[in-house]
Amino acid sequence: EALHLMHNKIQNLPPTLARTALRQSRGLRVEGNPLSCIPDNLRDSPDDILGFLEDVHEGVEQVLFIRVMVMGDEGAGKTSLVRCLHDPDLSLKALLRQPRLPDTGGAAVGGG
């Protein structure tokens, strides 16, 4: 079995697609589609896409966490960087055009 959907404007695939014969045949072709429902790192492999859809169908949730400590001199842009990482729709270029952010208080790290 094969399903070729290349170069369309498909953003979503139904999770039930993973329960078809495509899983064994590896016949899914979706290159050139935005596929906003599939994480970027899984979009290149039909096996990865179908595996992700199967997880979604079964109710498995992928939760990714990262803990970051941002350190630097006063006024270096730490708060701006954190805001951009937290909000993917906020561009650093647009943020830098805004007036300077108020002091966030910070913490003193002494050496000695």
Side-chain angles (χ1 to χ4, degrees):
E1 299 224 0
L3 181 59
H4 293 205
L5 302 170
M6 297 153 319
H7 304 290
N8 288 287
K9 295 180 181 177
I10 298 171
Q11 294 183 3
N12 297 302
L13 294 171
T16 52
L17 195 62
R19 298 290 181 151
T20 66
L22 290 171
R23 186 67 189 229
Q24 284 71 38
S25 70
R26 299 181 181 184
L28 179 64
R29 301 286 308 273
V30 292
E31 302 88 27
N33 289 294
L35 291 179
S36 59
C37 67
I38 307 291
D40 291 342
N41 61 323
L42 302 178
R43 292 184 191 169
D44 294 333
S45 163
D47 282 339
D48 289 345
I49 291 171
L50 290 170
F52 175 79
L53 291 174
E54 185 171 17
D55 286 347
V56 170
H57 183 70
E58 292 175 357
V60 175
E61 292 185 40
Q62 182 179 22
V63 180
L64 301 176
F65 290 97
I66 185 169
R67 187 176 301 245
V68 177
M69 180 181 293
V70 181
M71 299 173 62
D73 293 332
E74 181 180 321
K78 300 175 295 297
T79 302
S80 297
L81 172 64
V82 170
R83 286 180 61 193
C84 287
L85 291 173
H86 188 263
D87 182 359
D89 294 329
L90 183 63
S91 98
L92 185 58
K93 191 179 257 187
L95 189 62
L96 292 174
R97 287 191 202 118
Q98 295 178 359
R100 183 170 165 75
L101 292 169
D103 183 19
T104 54
V109 179

XYZ file of all heavy atoms in Angstrom:
847
model
N 0.831 -1.182 0.000
C 0.000 0.000 0.000
C 0.873 1.241 0.000
O 1.947 1.240 0.569
C -0.903 0.020 1.236
C -1.827 -1.143 1.305
C -3.230 -0.733 1.692
O -3.472 0.454 1.912
O -4.059 -1.622 1.744
N 0.369 2.298 -0.627
C 1.112 3.546 -0.687
C 0.143 4.716 -0.647
O -0.978 4.622 -1.139
C 1.955 3.611 -1.950
N 0.596 5.797 -0.044
C -0.173 7.033 -0.005
C 0.819 8.164 -0.265
O 1.661 8.475 0.573
C -0.854 7.204 1.356
C -1.712 8.453 1.533
C -2.838 8.499 0.508
C -2.269 8.514 2.943
N 0.710 8.754 -1.448
C 1.624 9.822 -1.842
C 0.869 11.148 -1.791
O -0.050 11.372 -2.572
C 2.165 9.575 -3.245
C 3.044 8.369 -3.310
N 4.019 8.219 -4.265
C 3.125 7.271 -2.541
C 4.643 7.073 -4.081
N 4.097 6.481 -3.041
N 1.251 12.002 -0.864
C 0.601 13.303 -0.656
C 1.599 14.444 -0.790
O 1.434 15.501 -0.196
C -0.029 13.336 0.748
C -1.057 12.251 1.050
C -1.401 12.254 2.533
C -2.293 12.439 0.200
N 2.631 14.236 -1.564
C 3.738 15.189 -1.633
C 3.306 16.532 -2.228
O 2.478 16.586 -3.127
C 4.880 14.597 -2.462
C 5.441 13.363 -1.829
S 6.200 12.172 -2.941
C 5.174 12.098 -4.327
N 3.919 17.591 -1.694
C 3.802 18.966 -2.189
C 2.364 19.464 -2.270
O 1.921 19.984 -3.280
C 4.511 19.108 -3.537
C 5.945 18.694 -3.471
N 6.894 19.427 -2.803
C 6.578 17.585 -3.933
C 8.055 18.803 -2.883
N 7.890 17.683 -3.550
N 1.634 19.277 -1.195
C 0.306 19.849 -1.033
C 0.397 20.855 0.109
O 1.487 21.238 0.511
C -0.717 18.753 -0.724
C -0.999 17.903 -1.947
O -1.663 18.343 -2.866
N -0.472 16.691 -1.960
N -0.704 21.256 0.635
C -0.692 22.203 1.757
C -1.227 21.527 3.011
O -1.874 22.154 3.844
C -1.509 23.440 1.407
C -0.899 24.229 0.260
C -1.718 25.435 -0.080
C -1.065 26.161 -1.253
N -1.843 27.313 -1.685
N -0.915 20.262 3.164
C -1.435 19.477 4.277
C -0.713 19.869 5.562
O 0.508 19.845 5.632
C -1.262 17.969 4.000
C -2.077 17.596 2.762
C -1.672 17.148 5.204
C -1.821 16.207 2.256
N -1.489 20.232 6.578
C -0.923 20.606 7.873
C -1.148 19.533 8.921
O -0.387 19.439 9.872
C -1.528 21.921 8.348
C -1.152 23.088 7.468
C -1.712 24.388 7.991
O -2.341 24.455 9.035
N -1.480 25.452 7.258
N -2.196 18.735 8.770
C -2.541 17.726 9.766
C -2.760 16.368 9.112
O -3.250 16.304 7.988
C -3.823 18.124 10.512
C -3.645 19.391 11.291
O -2.772 19.464 12.135
N -4.467 20.383 11.018
N -2.397 15.342 9.829
C -2.666 13.971 9.405
C -3.463 13.304 10.522
O -3.178 13.517 11.702
C -1.364 13.206 9.185
C -0.475 13.690 8.041
C 0.866 12.975 8.085
C -1.151 13.466 6.711
N -4.454 12.483 10.171
C -5.234 11.830 11.225
C -4.411 10.771 11.944
O -3.704 9.981 11.304
C -6.396 11.196 10.453
C -5.885 11.031 9.065
C -4.912 12.147 8.832
N -4.476 10.726 13.264
C -3.723 9.719 14.015
C -4.065 8.287 13.604
O -3.231 7.399 13.687
C -4.116 9.989 15.464
C -4.501 11.427 15.482
C -5.133 11.684 14.150
N -5.277 8.072 13.110
C -5.678 6.718 12.705
C -4.899 6.223 11.489
O -4.894 5.036 11.197
C -7.187 6.676 12.398
O -7.496 7.720 11.476
C -7.999 6.855 13.666
N -4.226 7.114 10.796
C -3.399 6.726 9.648
C -2.324 5.724 10.059
O -1.912 4.871 9.268
C -2.751 7.985 9.054
C -2.129 7.895 7.678
C -3.179 7.533 6.641
C -1.501 9.226 7.315
N -1.888 5.805 11.306
C -0.843 4.899 11.799
C -1.346 3.469 11.922
O -0.550 2.537 11.985
C -0.328 5.386 13.154
N -2.651 3.287 11.952
C -3.241 1.950 12.115
C -3.558 1.294 10.775
O -4.306 0.338 10.715
C -4.523 2.051 12.947
C -4.304 2.559 14.335
C -3.581 1.519 15.131
N -3.383 1.991 16.495
C -3.314 1.187 17.516
N -3.420 -0.098 17.359
N -3.100 1.676 18.713
N -3.011 1.812 9.700
C -3.270 1.250 8.370
C -2.090 0.400 7.926
O -1.061 0.315 8.606
C -3.496 2.379 7.346
O -2.279 3.114 7.199
C -4.610 3.322 7.784
N -2.219 -0.195 6.761
C -1.147 -1.022 6.199
C 0.075 -0.189 5.829
O 1.142 -0.740 5.549
C -1.659 -1.781 4.978
N -0.060 1.132 5.843
C 1.093 1.996 5.533
C 2.238 1.766 6.508
O 3.403 1.931 6.158
C 0.691 3.475 5.582
C -0.229 3.960 4.477
C -0.698 5.367 4.778
C 0.473 3.894 3.147
N 1.908 1.371 7.718
C 2.942 1.159 8.744
C 3.904 0.058 8.311
O 5.106 0.180 8.461
C 2.267 0.825 10.081
C 3.209 0.717 11.250
C 3.804 2.074 11.557
N 4.854 1.947 12.523
C 4.964 2.683 13.593
N 4.108 3.628 13.832
N 5.954 2.505 14.418
N 3.388 -1.012 7.742
C 4.240 -2.120 7.310
C 4.867 -1.859 5.939
O 6.001 -2.233 5.695
C 3.444 -3.435 7.259
C 3.178 -4.042 8.616
C 2.161 -3.272 9.440
O 1.179 -2.757 8.916
N 2.398 -3.178 10.743
N 4.126 -1.191 5.053
C 4.622 -0.999 3.689
C 5.597 0.170 3.563
O 6.313 0.268 2.579
C 3.457 -0.767 2.733
O 2.861 0.502 2.974
N 5.577 1.048 4.560
C 6.412 2.258 4.520
C 6.136 3.088 3.262
O 7.040 3.649 2.666
C 7.888 1.908 4.616
C 8.217 1.214 5.906
C 9.664 0.892 6.018
N 9.860 0.212 7.296
C 11.016 -0.145 7.745
N 12.090 0.108 7.061
N 11.115 -0.739 8.902
N 4.864 3.124 2.876
C 4.486 3.784 1.638
C 3.956 5.192 1.801
O 3.339 5.727 0.896
N 4.171 5.808 2.951
C 3.692 7.178 3.169
C 4.710 8.169 2.637
O 5.883 8.133 2.999
C 3.452 7.420 4.668
C 2.965 8.803 5.047
C 1.584 9.077 4.461
C 2.943 8.962 6.561
N 4.253 9.067 1.774
C 5.128 10.118 1.229
C 4.428 11.460 1.434
O 3.372 11.699 0.870
C 5.364 9.892 -0.270
C 5.999 8.559 -0.648
C 7.473 8.473 -0.326
N 8.258 9.564 -0.844
C 8.797 9.596 -2.054
N 8.647 8.587 -2.880
N 9.509 10.634 -2.442
N 5.016 12.311 2.256
C 4.390 13.601 2.582
C 5.362 14.774 2.438
O 5.109 15.855 2.958
C 3.784 13.578 4.003
C 2.601 12.636 4.077
C 4.817 13.222 5.041
N 6.446 14.598 1.718
C 7.423 15.681 1.565
C 6.757 16.915 0.945
O 5.874 16.814 0.126
C 8.587 15.250 0.665
C 9.341 14.039 1.136
C 8.747 12.731 0.647
O 8.100 12.704 -0.403
O 8.919 11.729 1.367
N 7.224 18.076 1.374
C 6.742 19.326 0.805
C 5.441 19.836 1.403
O 4.812 20.713 0.828
N 5.029 19.297 2.538
C 3.822 19.756 3.233
C 4.224 20.425 4.547
O 5.192 20.020 5.174
C 2.899 18.574 3.525
C 2.254 18.043 2.274
O 1.466 18.723 1.643
N 2.605 16.825 1.892
N 3.465 21.437 4.998
C 3.824 22.108 6.249
C 3.716 21.214 7.486
O 4.492 21.363 8.413
C 2.845 23.279 6.340
C 1.942 23.195 5.184
C 2.360 22.076 4.310
N 2.780 20.290 7.535
C 2.624 19.320 8.635
C 2.884 19.915 10.019
O 3.767 19.468 10.750
C 3.533 18.111 8.421
C 3.165 17.191 7.272
C 4.160 16.050 7.172
C 1.761 16.668 7.404
N 2.113 20.915 10.379
C 2.312 21.561 11.677
C 1.995 20.640 12.851
O 2.390 20.920 13.976
C 1.470 22.834 11.762
O 0.094 22.519 11.586
N 1.318 19.534 12.596
C 0.968 18.614 13.682
C 2.108 17.665 14.034
O 2.058 16.979 15.041
C -0.274 17.802 13.303
S -0.014 16.650 11.938
N 3.146 17.605 13.201
C 4.264 16.682 13.401
C 5.492 17.480 13.834
O 5.847 18.454 13.182
C 4.599 15.913 12.098
C 3.361 15.231 11.515
C 5.731 14.925 12.317
C 2.832 14.077 12.311
N 6.175 17.088 14.918
C 7.403 17.798 15.317
C 8.438 17.799 14.189
O 8.558 16.824 13.436
C 7.906 16.985 16.518
C 6.693 16.288 17.051
C 5.830 16.012 15.856
N 9.157 18.904 14.064
C 10.137 19.072 12.977
C 11.114 17.909 12.866
O 11.445 17.480 11.763
C 10.940 20.373 13.171
C 10.100 21.611 12.954
O 9.015 21.500 12.343
O 10.528 22.692 13.392
N 11.590 17.405 13.994
C 12.622 16.372 13.958
C 12.086 15.011 13.514
O 12.863 14.084 13.310
C 13.307 16.248 15.322
C 12.340 15.853 16.420
O 11.193 16.287 16.424
N 12.792 15.050 17.351
N 10.784 14.883 13.305
C 10.201 13.601 12.884
C 9.681 13.624 11.450
O 9.261 12.606 10.932
C 9.047 13.214 13.820
C 9.377 13.091 15.295
C 8.120 12.758 16.080
C 10.446 12.035 15.533
N 9.719 14.770 10.791
C 9.065 14.925 9.486
C 9.771 14.250 8.322
O 9.181 14.074 7.269
C 8.902 16.409 9.165
C 7.914 17.077 10.060
C 7.697 18.509 9.668
N 6.950 19.190 10.712
C 6.784 20.486 10.751
N 7.306 21.243 9.825
N 6.097 21.017 11.737
N 11.023 13.878 8.471
C 11.775 13.331 7.338
C 11.602 11.838 7.140
O 11.942 11.307 6.092
C 13.276 13.640 7.494
C 13.562 15.128 7.403
O 12.783 15.835 6.741
O 14.556 15.564 7.999
N 11.068 11.152 8.118
C 10.975 9.698 8.052
C 9.514 9.241 8.161
O 8.856 9.538 9.154
C 11.795 9.079 9.187
O 11.421 7.742 9.398
N 9.026 8.489 7.161
C 7.662 7.954 7.259
C 7.464 7.106 8.519
O 6.410 7.167 9.150
C 7.508 7.102 5.995
C 8.483 7.687 5.032
C 9.633 8.174 5.871
N 8.473 6.336 8.902
C 8.373 5.530 10.121
C 8.190 6.414 11.353
O 7.382 6.112 12.234
C 9.622 4.661 10.317
C 9.603 3.428 9.435
O 8.518 3.022 8.984
O 10.689 2.875 9.204
N 8.965 7.505 11.417
C 8.860 8.421 12.554
C 7.495 9.115 12.581
O 6.901 9.281 13.645
C 9.970 9.469 12.519
C 11.334 8.889 12.834
O 11.397 7.754 13.352
O 12.334 9.568 12.566
N 7.013 9.525 11.415
C 5.706 10.188 11.336
C 4.611 9.241 11.798
O 3.777 9.587 12.636
C 5.425 10.684 9.900
C 6.368 11.832 9.545
C 3.968 11.111 9.750
C 6.321 12.253 8.092
N 4.616 8.019 11.260
C 3.584 7.051 11.632
C 3.711 6.643 13.101
O 2.698 6.425 13.778
C 3.638 5.836 10.704
C 3.184 6.134 9.268
C 3.506 4.963 8.353
C 1.714 6.478 9.213
N 4.933 6.554 13.600
C 5.134 6.256 15.018
C 4.568 7.350 15.900
O 3.926 7.085 16.922
N 4.801 8.599 15.509
C 4.256 9.728 16.260
C 2.727 9.704 16.232
O 2.069 9.870 17.259
C 4.775 11.049 15.685
C 4.174 12.260 16.327
C 4.627 12.707 17.556
C 3.140 12.949 15.713
C 4.061 13.823 18.161
C 2.566 14.056 16.307
C 3.036 14.496 17.535
N 2.155 9.466 15.043
C 0.698 9.412 14.925
C 0.108 8.267 15.750
O -0.963 8.405 16.344
C 0.290 9.275 13.456
C 0.549 10.504 12.578
C 0.247 10.185 11.126
C -0.247 11.704 13.059
N 0.818 7.149 15.803
C 0.355 6.034 16.619
C 0.360 6.409 18.099
O -0.576 6.103 18.834
C 1.222 4.798 16.382
C 0.716 3.579 17.102
C 1.440 2.308 16.694
O 2.537 2.405 16.096
O 0.917 1.234 16.973
N 1.416 7.093 18.536
C 1.473 7.560 19.929
C 0.307 8.495 20.238
O -0.321 8.397 21.291
C 2.792 8.276 20.210
C 3.971 7.323 20.318
O 3.749 6.099 20.416
O 5.115 7.814 20.296
N 0.023 9.413 19.306
C -1.097 10.342 19.494
C -2.406 9.563 19.573
O -3.247 9.812 20.432
C -1.145 11.394 18.357
C -2.433 12.190 18.401
C 0.059 12.320 18.438
N -2.573 8.582 18.679
C -3.793 7.772 18.657
C -3.983 7.019 19.974
O -5.104 6.869 20.455
C -3.747 6.794 17.480
C -4.974 5.964 17.333
N -6.170 6.489 16.923
C -5.195 4.648 17.550
C -7.085 5.540 16.892
N -6.515 4.410 17.268
N -2.889 6.571 20.561
C -2.950 5.813 21.808
C -3.005 6.715 23.043
O -3.096 6.240 24.160
C -1.751 4.874 21.914
C -1.798 3.757 20.891
C -0.561 2.883 20.909
O 0.379 3.178 21.680
O -0.538 1.909 20.150
N -2.912 8.021 22.829
C -3.001 8.950 23.951
C -1.677 9.248 24.622
O -1.634 9.877 25.673
N -0.578 8.815 24.018
C 0.745 9.099 24.570
C 1.069 10.562 24.299
O 0.870 11.063 23.201
C 1.821 8.194 23.923
C 3.208 8.574 24.398
C 1.523 6.740 24.204
N 1.551 11.258 25.303
C 1.929 12.654 25.134
C 3.435 12.797 25.251
O 4.047 12.210 26.138
C 1.266 13.529 26.193
C -0.226 13.639 26.034
C -0.819 14.609 27.037
O -0.199 15.656 27.290
O -1.893 14.301 27.553
N 3.998 13.549 24.338
C 5.427 13.833 24.407
C 5.589 15.149 25.147
O 5.044 16.175 24.739
C 6.021 13.946 23.003
C 7.497 14.182 23.010
C 8.059 14.259 21.598
O 7.351 14.528 20.653
N 9.339 14.041 21.474
N 6.287 15.109 26.246
C 6.519 16.309 27.040
C 8.026 16.555 27.071
O 8.800 15.697 27.486
C 5.975 16.148 28.477
C 6.229 17.408 29.281
C 4.496 15.808 28.438
N 8.396 17.698 26.598
C 9.816 18.047 26.577
C 10.049 19.218 27.515
O 9.334 20.218 27.474
C 10.243 18.446 25.162
C 10.038 17.383 24.088
C 10.403 17.940 22.733
C 10.855 16.150 24.383
N 11.017 19.067 28.358
C 11.377 20.140 29.282
C 12.860 20.418 29.138
O 13.651 19.517 28.858
C 11.108 19.731 30.742
C 9.665 19.632 31.072
C 9.028 18.410 31.043
C 8.941 20.763 31.414
C 7.687 18.306 31.356
C 7.597 20.672 31.728
C 6.972 19.432 31.696
N 13.208 21.637 29.374
C 14.609 22.013 29.401
C 14.775 23.053 30.501
O 13.930 23.925 30.680
C 15.086 22.553 28.025
C 16.569 22.826 28.062
C 14.296 23.772 27.627
C 17.159 23.110 26.692
N 15.806 22.908 31.248
C 16.095 23.868 32.303
C 17.353 24.627 31.872
O 18.371 24.016 31.566
C 16.346 23.147 33.623
C 16.477 24.083 34.799
C 16.636 23.309 36.077
N 15.498 22.437 36.275
C 14.634 22.560 37.276
N 14.820 23.482 38.180
N 13.612 21.748 37.389
N 17.253 25.932 31.862
C 18.352 26.768 31.389
C 18.661 27.835 32.424
O 17.755 28.449 32.976
C 17.970 27.459 30.053
C 19.069 28.388 29.583
C 17.643 26.436 28.990
N 19.927 28.041 32.674
C 20.346 29.144 33.528
C 21.074 30.136 32.620
O 22.076 29.785 31.997
C 21.286 28.676 34.634
C 21.715 29.819 35.532
S 22.867 29.312 36.834
C 21.819 28.269 37.817
N 20.530 31.312 32.512
C 21.114 32.337 31.645
C 21.883 33.308 32.523
O 21.330 33.913 33.433
C 20.018 33.075 30.850
C 20.636 34.113 29.929
C 19.186 32.083 30.045
N 23.161 33.432 32.241
C 24.020 34.309 33.036
C 24.737 35.277 32.113
O 25.037 34.943 30.967
C 25.035 33.474 33.816
C 24.384 32.501 34.785
S 25.539 31.372 35.560
C 26.580 32.489 36.454
N 24.994 36.449 32.612
C 25.728 37.420 31.818
C 25.722 38.770 32.496
O 25.077 38.986 33.520
N 26.434 39.697 31.887
C 26.535 41.047 32.423
C 25.193 41.767 32.328
O 24.343 41.434 31.502
C 27.586 41.850 31.657
C 28.993 41.314 31.869
O 29.236 40.725 32.942
O 29.830 41.462 30.968
N 25.045 42.792 33.168
C 23.854 43.633 33.149
C 23.688 44.245 31.754
O 24.640 44.721 31.144
C 24.017 44.748 34.195
C 22.836 45.667 34.294
C 23.054 46.742 35.340
O 23.635 46.444 36.399
O 22.656 47.897 35.075
N 22.459 44.195 31.254
C 22.181 44.808 29.955
C 22.642 43.986 28.765
O 22.621 44.472 27.638
N 23.033 42.740 28.987
C 23.541 41.907 27.889
C 22.434 41.312 27.037
O 22.699 40.824 25.945
C 24.417 40.791 28.449
N 21.189 41.313 27.536
C 20.071 40.779 26.759
C 19.551 39.438 27.242
O 18.883 38.727 26.497
N 19.844 39.101 28.486
C 19.400 37.811 29.031
C 17.873 37.710 29.040
O 17.311 36.717 28.591
C 19.944 37.612 30.440
C 21.459 37.615 30.538
C 21.930 37.527 31.961
C 21.576 38.717 32.804
N 22.158 40.001 32.415
N 17.206 38.735 29.537
C 15.745 38.721 29.610
C 15.140 38.670 28.214
O 14.174 37.947 27.966
C 15.225 39.942 30.386
O 15.802 39.924 31.693
C 13.714 39.943 30.492
N 15.710 39.395 27.279
C 15.221 39.373 25.896
C 15.359 37.982 25.293
O 14.451 37.486 24.615
C 15.981 40.389 25.040
O 15.748 41.693 25.502
N 16.469 37.333 25.547
C 16.688 35.982 25.046
C 15.659 35.016 25.621
O 15.036 34.233 24.896
C 18.105 35.498 25.396
C 18.399 34.038 25.085
C 18.316 33.778 23.587
C 19.753 33.644 25.646
N 15.438 35.087 26.925
C 14.474 34.195 27.575
C 13.074 34.443 27.024
O 12.323 33.502 26.767
C 14.525 34.367 29.108
C 13.366 33.645 29.778
C 15.853 33.863 29.643
N 12.715 35.694 26.803
C 11.393 36.004 26.241
C 11.243 35.418 24.844
O 10.179 34.888 24.507
C 11.171 37.515 26.213
C 10.903 38.076 27.606
C 10.687 39.565 27.615
N 9.528 39.943 26.820
C 9.259 41.184 26.460
N 10.059 42.175 26.814
N 8.193 41.460 25.748
N 12.277 35.468 24.035
C 12.216 34.901 22.685
C 12.130 33.378 22.718
O 11.440 32.770 21.903
C 13.432 35.328 21.862
S 13.358 37.043 21.363
N 12.836 32.753 23.637
C 12.771 31.295 23.757
C 11.396 30.844 24.236
O 10.890 29.804 23.824
C 13.849 30.790 24.725
C 15.281 30.912 24.248
C 16.245 30.547 25.374
C 15.528 30.045 23.024
N 10.792 31.639 25.106
C 9.496 31.291 25.673
C 8.364 31.513 24.672
O 7.380 30.779 24.670
C 9.256 32.122 26.937
C 8.041 31.701 27.688
N 6.832 32.331 27.542
C 7.850 30.694 28.573
C 5.945 31.740 28.307
N 6.536 30.741 28.945
N 8.475 32.502 23.810
C 7.420 32.841 22.857
C 7.965 32.739 21.439
O 8.617 33.653 20.952
C 6.916 34.263 23.137
C 5.782 34.673 22.219
O 5.385 33.880 21.344
O 5.276 35.800 22.394
N 7.711 31.619 20.737
C 8.280 31.430 19.405
C 7.782 32.446 18.375
O 8.410 32.642 17.340
C 7.849 30.010 19.015
C 6.777 29.635 19.954
C 6.908 30.493 21.170
N 6.664 33.132 18.660
C 6.160 34.135 17.724
C 6.861 35.482 17.890
O 6.689 36.379 17.064
C 4.646 34.325 17.911
C 3.875 33.079 17.533
O 4.343 32.341 16.639
O 2.824 32.833 18.134
N 7.648 35.626 18.935
C 8.348 36.872 19.202
C 9.729 36.814 18.558
O 10.531 35.946 18.862
C 8.490 37.064 20.721
C 9.125 38.349 21.218
C 8.273 39.545 20.807
C 9.256 38.297 22.721
N 9.990 37.701 17.634
C 11.293 37.683 16.981
C 12.277 38.557 17.763
O 11.918 39.607 18.289
C 11.180 38.169 15.534
O 11.519 39.517 15.401
N 13.503 38.097 17.829
C 14.544 38.845 18.534
C 14.740 40.202 17.879
O 14.930 41.207 18.561
C 15.847 38.045 18.544
C 16.999 38.636 19.339
C 16.602 38.848 20.786
C 18.216 37.748 19.264
N 14.661 40.247 16.566
C 14.839 41.505 15.850
C 13.760 42.519 16.270
O 14.059 43.672 16.540
C 14.761 41.248 14.344
C 15.182 42.421 13.492
C 15.098 42.061 12.022
C 16.473 41.794 11.505
N 16.508 41.590 10.050
N 12.504 42.079 16.355
C 11.417 42.969 16.773
C 11.599 43.383 18.227
O 11.340 44.531 18.600
C 10.068 42.284 16.579
N 12.038 42.451 19.058
C 12.237 42.743 20.471
C 13.339 43.780 20.668
O 13.235 44.666 21.509
C 12.587 41.460 21.229
C 12.618 41.546 22.743
C 11.255 41.922 23.285
C 13.053 40.230 23.333
N 14.389 43.705 19.865
C 15.496 44.647 20.003
C 15.115 46.058 19.561
O 15.768 47.020 19.945
C 16.706 44.148 19.212
C 17.351 42.879 19.775
C 18.447 42.381 18.839
C 17.890 43.104 21.169
N 14.068 46.173 18.749
C 13.600 47.501 18.325
C 12.784 48.188 19.413
O 12.533 49.376 19.342
C 12.747 47.363 17.063
C 13.545 47.062 15.844
C 12.672 47.210 14.592
N 13.261 46.443 13.531
C 12.690 45.423 12.917
N 11.474 45.062 13.232
N 13.308 44.769 11.978
N 12.337 47.434 20.421
C 11.533 48.000 21.500
C 12.436 48.766 22.463
O 13.633 48.518 22.536
C 10.798 46.892 22.248
C 9.771 46.177 21.407
C 9.109 45.048 22.176
O 9.427 44.788 23.326
N 8.173 44.368 21.525
N 11.822 49.673 23.228
C 12.616 50.378 24.241
C 13.218 49.380 25.231
O 12.703 48.285 25.403
C 11.603 51.287 24.940
C 10.413 51.326 24.064
C 10.438 50.099 23.200
N 14.285 49.795 25.848
C 14.980 48.923 26.805
C 14.025 48.451 27.896
O 13.233 49.210 28.433
C 16.144 49.693 27.422
C 16.980 48.882 28.380
C 18.243 49.639 28.750
N 18.886 49.085 29.896
C 19.593 47.963 29.885
N 19.735 47.290 28.779
N 20.168 47.505 30.985
N 14.109 47.157 28.220
C 13.268 46.578 29.272
C 13.713 47.118 30.626
O 14.900 47.394 30.826
C 13.401 45.066 29.267
C 12.836 44.334 28.061
C 13.279 42.864 28.077
C 11.339 44.428 28.037
N 12.777 47.213 31.568
C 13.176 47.651 32.904
C 14.086 46.605 33.564
O 14.031 45.427 33.223
C 11.849 47.780 33.660
C 10.848 47.040 32.852
C 11.353 46.979 31.444
N 14.891 47.048 34.476
C 15.803 46.150 35.204
C 15.001 45.056 35.895
O 13.991 45.316 36.540
C 16.597 46.975 36.221
C 17.608 46.123 36.971
O 17.960 45.023 36.487
O 18.063 46.577 38.047
N 15.441 43.811 35.752
C 14.720 42.682 36.360
C 15.263 42.305 37.714
O 14.857 41.305 38.293
C 14.777 41.472 35.418
O 16.137 41.180 35.094
C 13.977 41.711 34.154
N 16.179 43.038 38.237
C 16.676 42.791 39.598
C 17.921 41.942 39.630
O 18.900 42.306 40.249
N 17.900 40.830 38.964
C 19.081 39.974 38.883
C 19.554 39.463 40.222
O 18.902 39.586 41.243
N 20.698 38.871 40.185
C 21.337 38.327 41.396
C 22.822 38.638 41.318
O 23.424 38.571 40.262
C 21.113 36.829 41.493
N 23.391 38.950 42.431
C 24.827 39.230 42.487
C 25.579 37.937 42.724
O 25.249 37.156 43.609
C 25.133 40.218 43.602
N 26.575 37.702 41.904
C 27.433 36.527 42.077
C 28.828 37.059 42.361
O 29.442 37.688 41.511
C 27.441 35.637 40.805
C 28.344 34.454 40.997
C 26.029 35.192 40.470
N 29.293 36.809 43.553
C 30.596 37.347 43.940
C 31.701 36.317 43.760
O 31.476 35.116 43.822
N 32.849 36.782 43.499
C 33.994 35.893 43.394
C 35.019 36.314 44.428
O 35.558 37.392 44.400
N 35.246 35.443 45.325
C 36.289 35.858 46.221
C 36.120 35.380 47.556
O 36.590 35.036 48.454
